[in-house]
Amino acid sequence: MLIYVAQLNPKIGDLSHNTDKIISSIKKAKLEKADIIVFAEAAISGYPPEDLLLYDNFINKMENELNRIIEESKDLFIVIGTIRKNFNKNQKPLFNSVAVIYDKKLLGFKDKTLLPTYDVFEERRYFEPGKDQKVFEYKGKKIGVLVCEDAWAHVNDAYAKYDIDPVVELKKLKPDLMINIAASPYYYQKKDIRLNIFSEVAKTLNCQVIINNQVGANDQLVFDGHSMSFNNKGELVNLAKGFVEDHFLVDLEKPLSIYDYKKDPLSELYNALVLGVKDYFRKLNLSKACIGISGGVDSALVLCIAADALGPHNVLAINMPSRYSSLSSLEDAHKLCDNLRVELMDIPIDHLYQEYLNLLSPILAGKAFDTTEENLQARIRGMILMAISNKLGYIVLSTGNKSEMAMGYVTLYGDMCGGLGVLIDVSKTLVYELAKWVNGKKEIIPISIIEKEPSAELKANQKDRDVLPPYVIVDKVLQGYVEDHLSADEIVKKYNLEIETVKELIERIHQAEYKRRQGPPGIRVSKTAFTKGRYFPIVQGWIEQ
Amino acid sequence: MLIYVAQLNPKIGDLSHNTDKIISSIKKAKLEKADIIVFAEAAISGYPPEDLLLYDNFINKMENELNRIIEESKDLFIVIGTIRKNFNKNQKPLFNSVAVIYDKKLLGFKDKTLLPTYDVFEERRYFEPGKDQKVFEYKGKKIGVLVCEDAWAHVNDAYAKYDIDPVVELKKLKPDLMINIAASPYYYQKKDIRLNIFSEVAKTLNCQVIINNQVGANDQLVFDGHSMSFNNKGELVNLAKGFVEDHFLVDLEKPLSIYDYKKDPLSELYNALVLGVKDYFRKLNLSKACIGISGGVDSALVLCIAADALGPHNVLAINMPSRYSSLSSLEDAHKLCDNLRVELMDIPIDHLYQEYLNLLSPILAGKAFDTTEENLQARIRGMILMAISNKLGYIVLSTGNKSEMAMGYVTLYGDMCGGLGVLIDVSKTLVYELAKWVNGKKEIIPISIIEKEPSAELKANQKDRDVLPPYVIVDKVLQGYVEDHLSADEIVKKYNLEIETVKELIERIHQAEYKRRQGPPGIRVSKTAFTKGRYFPIVQGWIEQ
């Protein structure tokens, strides 16, 4: 029995387009003489469709598209994620479901049992949980189907715990094959967790296991694909490519050779960011990006990512020096753009800055230079980028990193301007690692950019360390407090830090909430991003004690 | 039996402060010789504490505060909302619960059964649902306790439907009194729905019903208070004040006179906006606001609200004319500020605007005047407001209304700048109604501001209607599509509009998603606000058909 696993990149809500792609894969599978084709979770709508699900019209259109797919199923067994109505009026109106189809007939649905309501997920907002596990019989095989989370509760170190373990329930039905359809978003090193979990699931079920995971970026979430299959001993035998559409074939009867899997987390992180940029532009029918280049490592890395995602000819770098910009930064920016073959525009802002100082002198006079003056420079730059965006159609990419966003060491409406924040979920530590990774084969980012001390260059002789502890410390608190939900005391113990430092940094994280709330959407690549899946009040009085 | 209903305004997360206020109310209740005191849902943390609940430390501290309250309960029966741990490791780690306390002993908990996961609520993210209903016996009376949503499923036109109706379950236990503790956020005209629902609940239970609802604004949500009680015939007998702390006493044995309730929705809407501003500032220890004044009705209304919330002496109006500003707008702005006794500062921006045009001439040259030039003016104004904010400590209030936010007829990083968007959830239609309501007793907003045609004054002879249908049409589509989730066809039928207009407006609503994502937090006063409780992808391909 031959199974075709189609790893596709849907566009959220574009139901006909997604269905066209699904049908195109069905045709390819038939050419390959496949018996079964498998698609991902919510394949017709793309995942997550969010509040589009509140519109009846949207659900009805999805049903029509499912019927088009059924029409194409002659002699082919199709397993596809879709969303279907729940007719019990005292429950949530939808199920996150799998349609199982054969020979122009809908054989049935299997509804998702475990609905995640943590992190970036809020599936209870829309869905009623499915109650039972079941198998579908086809050509003498019993095929079990689970939707994403349904398989994740099986392993102890999974994110969430549930009363029910659908894997254990399914085992009672003795499946010959288990298919898991998923839309499991990427975060740094998550693939290793996914591999471990499904290896355990395959061992428990003692059958082959196939996982089809959505690929593609949608707003802030990146789905890495990496669809996979395991033999009944829990050994990995297929692994689709990450971050691109792909497919593989599994022949249930043929002996399967073990896949030689090597970890490469930095490469995956870089590819996730590239895909995040690429799909944001492609799916919005946009092509060109502009980036304010300071000569610092963050904007340098964003320029590399943008050039890879959009092509260097679609990227415009803009250097906007003020009286506080160093000559070396200017030289570094030019060198970087030369290396990447990206056009660089110089627009000095000092004259405008002086005009603001003049106009505002009744307000500024007699008061010390402070963040007001620093922010003026950052905001003039933001305005220039936005004017270029408005007039020439370039989308501004914002370059602030997660450590700065945590500390509020960014200017609202200044360097926070942009349609997409490329590094918003990448800590400064990882920014450096990625910059070095980019330079792995040859020097693209001038080494002086990586080696110089971080500075915003918004006043004379300014260094980040004037107002922040070293980023290695910031990033430990970021990991402990934001990602792992540890208390101050626990962070002190785990990382051997001073309690005062830790408390001060936690307070700064909360204080910057109001800035982050107005930041651009950012590509999520960690377990807890500031921009999606983390909800804190701005107005609140909790003090870590 | 005398019951003291304490309607308090907590600060989210400020556990000791909130507990101090609770204890202070307990002391007052004892002076009044009350037998029972009732507090609202999640009274110790304030509602909603959001992801603060993910920190063990936070939960532990809440337990300590509950113990302080228990210590104060000598001879007093206390009903108080709190959040408690769930020790079943295969479930969500918390219950949204009610602690019932008497004479220094914790008598038990009653956990919330119906956990809302719609609109602004995502309680399944944190909580496990309670299973059973119960009554607590005290002085010969059986007291039933329900938490907010638990009572809302009883009535057919309630927002959400559930398999279980806790009111019906509770009825089997024959309570003599039902206490509902709530944190039920305000939206326009919601009080009438709440009155109807609890009137029905009282009739079903055939006993007196007391509702304690939280008061106060937290970020974007306004809780209106309006705690109430009903007799066993479902007649309203007590109604606490809205939008302020209050209390009332219910004597179970005394005959109750019917409360003479009159609708006043515009006054409530205005008060909700005032409280939204007031609590944002007070709870952040801020006092002063600045507002860009254009001579239009939106900024005029925001100025009135700010003056009422913070006092006129804490409000600074800034008029920033460009070459396109009309003289009449300038005069209107001055007259308005005189009426309100608010200081007005004039900062002409035309020179700076010209400097931008000069600096950007390589980019702008040879291209037609478009939104680029319009946005430059709006962004210069935003920068000036933010500089005043940074240097002088005024918080910028943003003045854009819901209709403009829907259409994207606002400038990102321009007039969208601000710490709080006062009218973000108020349609243009309601803005006019409120402006007239403000002028009810005497003319505060110059009538010319209300009567003139809407214009952004960002180019010569500009009118909103050049690019938008009349706001009465925009607001109907806004109501139909955003609040009521109707399809284009249904909107056409309901409001007798052209299908092309409706489809175009729906498309514009989706296209402006990227702007709204970076807007300031806004005070929610409608059933569906753009800023909280509504989640749509930016990158998506759904077209209403």
Side-chain angles (χ1 to χ4, degrees):
Chain A
M1 189 180 288
L2 202 59
I3 302 162
Y4 186 103
V5 179
Q7 174 179 299
L8 298 181
N9 184 345
K11 178 170 170 182
I12 300 284
D14 199 345
L15 306 176
S16 350
H17 166 80
N18 297 339
T19 304
D20 289 346
K21 288 180 77 157
I22 288 164
I23 290 173
S24 156
S25 288
I26 288 173
K27 288 179 177 157
K28 286 179 201 155
K30 285 181 175 176
L31 289 177
E32 301 267 9
K33 306 209 176 302
D35 301 285
I36 300 179
I37 186 166
V38 177
F39 296 97
E41 184 176 6
I44 300 173
S45 62
Y47 187 93
E50 300 191 315
D51 281 3
L52 289 170
L53 295 175
L54 302 183
Y55 289 85
D56 282 344
N57 212 9
F58 185 77
I59 308 298
N60 294 337
K61 182 79 193 303
M62 216 175 337
E63 284 177 359
N64 295 345
E65 298 296 343
L66 184 65
N67 287 331
R68 273 177 65 204
I69 293 164
I70 293 172
E71 280 306 301
E72 299 290 332
S73 67
K74 186 158 171 26
D75 295 329
L76 187 66
F77 189 91
I78 302 178
V79 176
I80 184 165
T82 190
I83 287 152
R84 74 177 187 106
K85 288 179 189 159
N86 175 11
F87 294 99
N88 182 333
K89 290 292 170 205
N90 288 327
Q91 297 181 336
K92 287 286 179 183
L94 300 170
F95 291 110
N96 186 355
S97 195
V98 197
V100 179
I101 299 161
Y102 178 64
D103 211 22
K104 300 200 176 188
K105 281 194 206 74
L106 177 65
L107 303 184
F109 290 103
K110 159 70 184 79
D111 305 315
K112 188 171 186 176
T113 306
L114 305 184
L115 300 174
T117 53
Y118 57 83
D119 191 10
V120 298
F121 304 105
E122 36 193 48
E123 295 204 0
R124 282 272 189 171
R125 182 173 172 89
Y126 314 102
F127 304 125
E128 188 68 18
K131 293 280 175 284
D132 305 309
Q133 306 315 317
K134 54 175 121 173
V135 290
F136 294 86
E137 301 237 3
Y138 174 58
K139 295 194 175 174
K141 301 272 185 198
K142 287 197 277 189
I143 301 168
V145 183
L146 295 177
V147 186
C148 206
E149 189 86 347
D150 286 347
W152 284 70
H154 186 59
V155 172
N156 258 336
D157 59 351
Y159 204 108
K161 304 272 186 281
Y162 298 90
D163 277 336
I164 307 165
D165 180 352
V167 171
V168 170
E169 307 273 307
L170 181 62
K171 187 180 165 66
K172 296 173 193 162
L173 306 175
K174 298 185 178 149
D176 300 299
L177 167 68
M178 192 277 271
I179 295 169
N180 182 273
I181 64 160
S184 173
Y186 168 83
Y187 58 73
Y188 190 56
Q189 299 178 322
K190 183 180 185 184
K191 195 178 61 175
D192 301 324
I193 301 173
R194 204 186 286 140
L195 282 164
N196 287 338
I197 286 181
F198 282 97
S199 170
E200 288 302 314
V201 168
K203 282 187 231 170
T204 297
L205 293 174
N206 190 25
C207 72
Q208 291 192 45
V209 165
I210 290 170
I211 301 98
N212 186 335
N213 188 30
Q214 173 175 297
V215 71
N218 300 309
D219 278 22
Q220 314 195 104
L221 299 185
V222 180
F223 296 85
D224 54 323
H226 283 130
S227 296
M228 43 182 83
S229 82
F230 295 83
N231 64 22
N232 66 341
K233 296 190 195 99
E235 292 161 325
L236 183 68
V237 289
N238 280 289
L239 183 63
K241 288 186 197 128
F243 310 101
V244 289
E245 294 196 334
D246 195 13
H247 77 273
F248 61 80
L249 282 156
V250 182
D251 188 335
L252 283 193
E253 282 74 30
K254 274 200 187 155
L256 302 161
S257 56
I258 311 301
Y259 188 95
D260 183 22
Y261 165 64
K262 285 187 183 63
K263 289 190 189 183
D264 195 359
L266 279 177
S267 154
E268 286 175 11
L269 176 57
Y270 187 83
N271 285 328
L273 295 168
V274 168
L275 183 59
V277 173
K278 187 189 278 183
D279 272 7
Y280 188 86
F281 279 72
R282 186 177 61 84
K283 293 178 181 179
L284 288 172
N285 297 317
L286 301 167
S287 55
K288 299 186 294 180
C290 65
I291 298 160
I293 291 295
S294 65
V297 67
D298 301 308
S299 56
L301 181 59
V302 171
L303 202 68
C304 295
I305 292 166
D308 276 340
L310 308 172
H313 56 291
N314 281 319
V315 179
L316 176 63
I318 298 139
N319 181 57
M320 295 169 280
S322 79
R323 63 193 66 173
Y324 305 114
S325 303
S326 66
L327 191 62
S328 66
S329 289
L330 184 67
E331 289 167 355
D332 285 340
H334 277 266
K335 212 162 139 194
L336 171 70
C337 292
D338 284 349
N339 290 349
L340 287 169
R341 294 165 194 258
V342 161
E343 187 189 344
L344 176 62
M345 199 185 268
D346 283 304
I347 305 182
I349 65 161
D350 211 65
H351 176 70
L352 256 181
Y353 175 54
Q354 189 57 50
E355 292 291 341
Y356 272 102
L357 296 180
N358 299 346
L359 180 71
L360 295 172
S361 62
I363 290 151
L364 307 176
K367 301 194 181 66
F369 183 105
D370 64 6
T371 49
T372 311
E373 287 80 2
E374 296 184 29
N375 288 342
L376 279 174
Q377 299 162 60
R379 289 184 181 131
I380 291 168
R381 291 185 177 121
M383 272 189 70
I384 291 171
L385 291 172
M386 290 307 292
I388 290 169
S389 179
N390 287 161
K391 199 56 126 190
L392 306 179
Y394 289 88
I395 299 302
V396 180
L397 292 178
S398 170
T399 63
N401 64 56
K402 189 175 191 173
S403 312
E404 293 169 343
M405 293 296 280
M407 295 293 102
Y409 197 61
V410 279
T411 300
L412 193 53
Y413 320 130
D415 53 324
M416 284 176 73
C417 282
L420 188 67
V422 180
L423 302 180
I424 278 188
D425 199 31
V426 182
S427 70
K428 192 79 176 183
T429 307
L430 274 176
V431 166
Y432 280 115
E433 286 190 39
L434 280 174
K436 288 174 198 158
W437 180 89
V438 164
N439 280 357
K441 282 180 191 152
K442 69 172 211 180
E443 186 178 307
I444 291 170
I445 299 173
I447 196 75
S448 49
I449 287 182
I450 298 176
E451 286 180 349
K452 74 172 151 197
E453 202 180 335
S455 165
E457 297 195 341
L458 294 169
K459 67 177 182 181
N461 302 316
Q462 188 177 34
K463 302 279 176 249
D464 289 11
R465 70 176 143 89
D466 300 341
V467 290
L468 292 177
Y471 281 112
V472 286
I473 294 179
V474 171
D475 288 353
K476 282 171 183 165
V477 176
L478 189 55
Q479 178 70 40
Y481 192 71
V482 175
E483 294 211 29
D484 300 333
H485 299 124
L486 302 180
S487 69
D489 285 339
E490 288 166 328
I491 293 167
V492 165
K493 269 181 217 150
K494 182 165 177 182
Y495 296 109
N496 195 22
L497 299 173
E498 301 286 327
I499 184 73
E500 292 73 24
T501 309
V502 172
K503 282 191 179 174
E504 189 203 316
L505 291 178
I506 288 175
E507 212 179 318
R508 286 189 71 156
I509 290 171
H510 283 299
Q511 280 169 351
E513 188 60 39
Y514 81 96
K515 284 191 187 178
R516 290 190 296 264
R517 197 70 69 90
Q518 295 189 48
I523 306 167
R524 177 203 187 238
V525 291
S526 83
K527 232 171 70 180
T528 306
F530 284 123
T531 49
K532 190 174 169 73
R534 182 181 181 274
Y535 309 104
F536 278 84
I538 293 172
V539 180
Q540 55 107 342
W542 169 243
I543 297 161
E544 175 71 25
Q545 280 159 330
Chain B
M1 188 180 289
L2 201 60
I3 302 162
Y4 186 103
V5 179
Q7 173 179 299
L8 298 180
N9 184 345
K11 179 170 170 183
I12 301 283
D14 199 345
L15 307 176
S16 350
H17 165 80
N18 297 338
T19 304
D20 289 345
K21 288 180 77 156
I22 288 164
I23 290 174
S24 156
S25 287
I26 288 174
K27 287 178 177 155
K28 285 178 201 155
K30 285 181 175 174
L31 288 177
E32 301 268 10
K33 306 211 176 300
D35 301 284
I36 299 179
I37 185 166
V38 176
F39 296 96
E41 184 177 7
I44 300 173
S45 62
Y47 187 92
E50 300 190 314
D51 281 3
L52 289 170
L53 295 176
L54 303 183
Y55 288 84
D56 282 345
N57 212 10
F58 185 77
I59 308 298
N60 293 337
K61 182 80 193 302
M62 215 174 338
E63 284 179 358
N64 295 345
E65 298 296 343
L66 184 64
N67 287 332
R68 272 177 67 203
I69 294 164
I70 292 172
E71 281 306 302
E72 300 290 333
S73 68
K74 187 158 171 24
D75 294 330
L76 187 66
F77 189 91
I78 301 178
V79 175
I80 184 165
T82 189
I83 287 153
R84 74 177 186 104
K85 289 179 190 160
N86 176 13
F87 295 99
N88 182 332
K89 291 290 171 207
N90 288 327
Q91 298 180 335
K92 288 285 181 184
L94 300 170
F95 291 110
N96 185 355
S97 194
V98 196
V100 178
I101 298 161
Y102 178 64
D103 212 22
K104 302 201 175 186
K105 281 191 207 76
L106 177 67
L107 303 184
F109 290 104
K110 159 71 184 80
D111 304 315
K112 189 172 186 176
T113 306
L114 305 184
L115 299 174
T117 53
Y118 56 84
D119 192 10
V120 299
F121 304 105
E122 36 194 48
E123 294 204 0
R124 282 272 188 170
R125 183 173 171 89
Y126 313 103
F127 304 125
E128 188 69 18
K131 293 279 174 282
D132 305 311
Q133 306 315 316
K134 53 175 119 171
V135 291
F136 294 86
E137 300 236 2
Y138 175 57
K139 295 196 174 172
K141 302 271 185 200
K142 286 197 278 190
I143 302 169
V145 183
L146 295 176
V147 185
C148 205
E149 188 86 347
D150 286 347
W152 283 70
H154 186 59
V155 172
N156 258 335
D157 59 351
Y159 204 109
K161 304 273 186 282
Y162 298 89
D163 277 337
I164 308 165
D165 180 352
V167 171
V168 170
E169 306 273 307
L170 181 61
K171 188 179 164 65
K172 296 174 192 162
L173 305 176
K174 298 184 180 154
D176 300 300
L177 167 70
M178 192 276 272
I179 294 169
N180 182 275
I181 64 161
S184 173
Y186 168 82
Y187 59 73
Y188 189 55
Q189 300 178 321
K190 184 181 184 183
K191 195 177 62 174
D192 301 323
I193 301 173
R194 204 186 286 141
L195 282 164
N196 288 338
I197 286 181
F198 282 98
S199 169
E200 288 304 313
V201 168
K203 281 187 232 169
T204 297
L205 292 175
N206 190 27
C207 72
Q208 290 193 46
V209 165
I210 290 170
I211 301 99
N212 186 336
N213 188 29
Q214 173 175 298
V215 71
N218 301 308
D219 279 21
Q220 313 195 101
L221 299 185
V222 180
F223 295 85
D224 54 322
H226 283 131
S227 296
M228 43 181 86
S229 82
F230 294 83
N231 65 21
N232 66 340
K233 296 190 195 99
E235 291 160 325
L236 183 69
V237 289
N238 280 290
L239 183 63
K241 288 187 197 124
F243 310 102
V244 288
E245 294 196 334
D246 195 13
H247 76 273
F248 61 80
L249 282 156
V250 181
D251 188 335
L252 283 193
E253 282 76 29
K254 273 202 188 154
L256 302 161
S257 56
I258 310 300
Y259 188 96
D260 182 23
Y261 165 65
K262 285 187 184 64
K263 288 190 188 182
D264 195 0
L266 279 178
S267 154
E268 286 174 12
L269 177 57
Y270 188 83
N271 286 329
L273 295 168
V274 169
L275 182 59
V277 173
K278 187 189 277 183
D279 272 7
Y280 188 86
F281 280 73
R282 186 176 62 83
K283 293 178 181 180
L284 287 172
N285 297 319
L286 301 167
S287 55
K288 298 185 295 180
C290 64
I291 299 160
I293 291 295
S294 65
V297 67
D298 301 309
S299 56
L301 181 58
V302 171
L303 202 68
C304 296
I305 292 166
D308 276 341
L310 308 172
H313 57 290
N314 281 319
V315 179
L316 176 63
I318 298 138
N319 181 56
M320 296 169 281
S322 80
R323 63 192 67 173
Y324 304 114
S325 303
S326 66
L327 191 61
S328 66
S329 290
L330 184 67
E331 289 167 356
D332 285 341
H334 278 266
K335 211 163 139 193
L336 171 70
C337 291
D338 284 348
N339 291 349
L340 287 169
R341 294 164 196 257
V342 160
E343 187 190 344
L344 177 62
M345 198 185 269
D346 282 305
I347 306 182
I349 65 161
D350 211 66
H351 176 69
L352 255 181
Y353 175 54
Q354 189 56 51
E355 293 290 342
Y356 272 102
L357 296 180
N358 298 346
L359 180 70
L360 295 172
S361 62
I363 291 151
L364 307 176
K367 300 193 181 68
F369 182 105
D370 65 6
T371 49
T372 311
E373 286 81 1
E374 296 184 29
N375 287 342
L376 279 174
Q377 299 162 61
R379 289 184 180 130
I380 291 169
R381 292 185 177 120
M383 272 189 71
I384 291 171
L385 291 173
M386 290 306 294
I388 290 170
S389 179
N390 288 161
K391 199 57 123 191
L392 306 179
Y394 289 87
I395 300 303
V396 180
L397 292 178
S398 170
T399 64
N401 65 56
K402 189 174 190 174
S403 312
E404 293 169 341
M405 293 296 281
M407 294 294 102
Y409 197 61
V410 279
T411 300
L412 193 52
Y413 321 130
D415 54 322
M416 284 177 71
C417 282
L420 187 67
V422 180
L423 302 179
I424 278 186
D425 200 31
V426 182
S427 70
K428 192 79 176 181
T429 306
L430 274 176
V431 166
Y432 280 116
E433 287 190 39
L434 280 174
K436 287 175 198 157
W437 180 89
V438 164
N439 280 358
K441 283 181 191 151
K442 69 172 211 181
E443 186 178 308
I444 291 170
I445 299 173
I447 196 74
S448 49
I449 288 181
I450 298 175
E451 286 181 350
K452 75 172 150 199
E453 202 180 335
S455 166
E457 297 195 340
L458 294 169
K459 67 177 180 180
N461 302 314
Q462 188 177 36
K463 302 280 177 248
D464 289 12
R465 71 175 144 89
D466 300 342
V467 291
L468 291 177
Y471 281 112
V472 286
I473 294 178
V474 172
D475 288 353
K476 282 170 184 166
V477 176
L478 189 55
Q479 178 70 39
Y481 191 71
V482 176
E483 293 211 29
D484 301 333
H485 299 123
L486 302 180
S487 69
D489 286 339
E490 289 165 328
I491 293 168
V492 165
K493 269 181 217 150
K494 181 164 179 185
Y495 296 108
N496 196 22
L497 300 173
E498 300 286 327
I499 183 74
E500 292 72 25
T501 310
V502 173
K503 282 191 178 174
E504 189 203 316
L505 291 178
I506 289 175
E507 212 179 316
R508 286 189 70 155
I509 290 171
H510 283 299
Q511 280 169 351
E513 188 60 39
Y514 80 97
K515 284 191 187 178
R516 290 189 296 264
R517 197 70 68 90
Q518 296 189 49
I523 305 167
R524 177 203 187 238
V525 292
S526 83
K527 231 172 71 180
T528 306
F530 283 123
T531 48
K532 189 175 169 75
R534 182 180 181 275
Y535 309 104
F536 277 84
I538 293 173
V539 180
Q540 56 107 341
W542 169 243
I543 297 161
E544 176 70 23
Q545 279 160 331

